[in-house]
Amino acid sequence: MINPNDLKFQDELDAANKLLEALPQKELIDGDFVVVCSSLDSVVLANEVASSLDLSYELLFSERLYAPNNPECEIAIVSETEEIVYSSELVNAFDISLDFIYGEAHRKYEEKILKNVYKYRKGKLLENLQGRNILLVDLGCQTGITALVCIKSLINLNVKSIIYGTPLIAADILSYFNTLVDSLYYAKKISNFVDVDFYYNSRVAVESAMSILEDSPHYLPLQKIQKSKEI
C-alpha cells in the first residue's frame, strides 16, 4: 500500500527540482523555450524551473467561473486571450445557458484578468509568442481545466510547440493530455487525486508572487522594462 506521504512534496522548490529531473533539459535549452506559468499559484515553480535552465518565463492569466447557485462548483475558465473552456456535463446538469458563461467570462476578464495584467505585467499584453517553443508549467493537474485553457490560448497565439510539465498529474487524464501537446512530463502520477494543495507540505503565499517576479532576471515582461530603462 502506498504511503500518502510518499506522494507529497516539501514545497514548490522540491516539486520544481523533481520536475526538472523529468524534463528534457538539453532540448529546452537548445530550443530556447519560453516557460509559461499557468497561474499565480505556479510562480514559484516556474521561476525555479526557468532559473535553473536560464530561460525566460511569462505568466498566462485566467479566471475560474462558478455555477450561479453554487459558488463552489467550477464550471468554466477564461484566459487573458479570452479563450473559454467549460464543462458541458456541469453546464447541462445545472441547466446553465451559454449566454451566462460568456457574460461571466467577460466580467471576469474586465474585473480580474485586466487587473492582474496591470499589476503583474505593467499593463502590457501577453508577450508575442508566435513561433516560439513553449514549456507550460503547472503546479498540479487535477481536472486539467487550467492547463487546457492555457494550451488553447497558446495554440491560438500560433506558438511553434508546447511541452507540458507538472509535478503532479491525475492518472485518469494523463492519456488525454498526451494528445493535446507535443510532449508531457511529470514527476508523480496520482490515482484518486485529492486536490493540489494536499500534495504540498507547505506553499508560498500567492501574495509573494509580485516580489518574486520583480526580483527575477528571468521574468520576461520586467526584462523588457529594465532594458528600456537602460536605453
Side-chain angles (χ1 to χ4, degrees), residues 200-218:
Y200 289 85
N201 288 329
S202 66
R203 290 274 310 279
V204 174
V206 171
E207 290 75 20
S208 302
M210 190 70 242
S211 61
I212 293 170
L213 299 174
E214 288 178 334
D215 290 341
S216 175
H218 297 279

Side-chain angles (χ1 to χ4, degrees), residues 2 7 140-144 164 166-179 184 186-196 199:
I2 297 174
L7 300 176
C141 189
Q142 180 181 3
T143 65
Y164 179 62
T166 180
L168 297 158
I169 190 165
D172 58 351
I173 64 172
L174 180 57
S175 59
Y176 172 62
F177 262 78
N178 260 321
T179 68
L184 186 154
Y186 59 89
K188 297 180 182 182
K189 178 176 67 174
I190 310 293
S191 299
N192 303 314
F193 206 109
V194 180
D195 61 61
V196 173
Y199 299 100

Side-chain angles (χ1 to χ4, degrees), residues 22-183:
L23 289 170
Q25 297 189 27
K26 187 176 187 303
E27 177 185 344
L28 296 169
I29 295 168
D30 291 348
D32 192 26
F33 276 69
V34 175
V35 178
V36 172
C37 180
S38 67
S39 68
L40 287 169
D41 284 337
S42 300
V43 165
V44 175
L45 178 75
N47 185 67
E48 183 66 17
V49 170
S51 299
S52 297
L53 301 175
D54 196 23
L55 297 173
S56 296
Y57 71 98
E58 258 283 14
L59 260 167
L60 203 167
F61 297 107
S62 60
E63 285 291 328
R64 298 168 186 269
L65 281 62
Y66 298 90
N69 297 321
N70 188 341
E72 295 184 356
C73 181
E74 177 187 315
I75 58 170
I77 190 166
V78 59
S79 76
E80 67 175 279
T81 62
E82 298 190 79
E83 303 295 337
I84 299 171
V85 172
Y86 64 89
S87 168
S88 56
E89 292 85 358
L90 290 175
V91 167
N92 292 333
F94 284 99
D95 194 24
I96 299 170
S97 71
L98 293 183
D99 285 342
F100 171 82
I101 290 175
Y102 287 112
E104 275 295 286
H106 181 72
R107 184 179 69 82
K108 291 275 189 174
Y109 177 82
E110 294 285 336
E111 295 179 4
K112 300 285 189 177
I113 291 178
L114 288 182
K115 181 179 178 181
N116 281 335
V117 168
Y118 278 94
K119 180 176 180 179
Y120 296 100
R121 209 188 287 127
K122 309 302 182 185
K124 295 184 179 294
L125 298 176
L126 187 64
E127 170 71 13
N128 182 11
L129 299 176
Q130 182 174 353
R132 299 298 302 271
N133 294 312
I134 303 298
L135 170 62
L136 175 64
V137 296
D138 200 358
L139 194 63
C141 189
Q142 180 181 3
T143 65
I145 190 169
T146 300
L148 192 55
V149 80
C150 289
I151 291 167
K152 186 177 179 182
S153 299
L154 291 168
I155 289 172
N156 287 331
L157 287 171
N158 296 313
V159 302
K160 184 178 180 180
S161 68
I162 303 173
I163 288 178
Y164 179 62
T166 180
L168 297 158
I169 190 165
D172 58 351
I173 64 172
L174 180 57
S175 59
Y176 172 62
F177 262 78
N178 260 321
T179 68
L180 300 178
V181 293
D182 295 278
S183 302

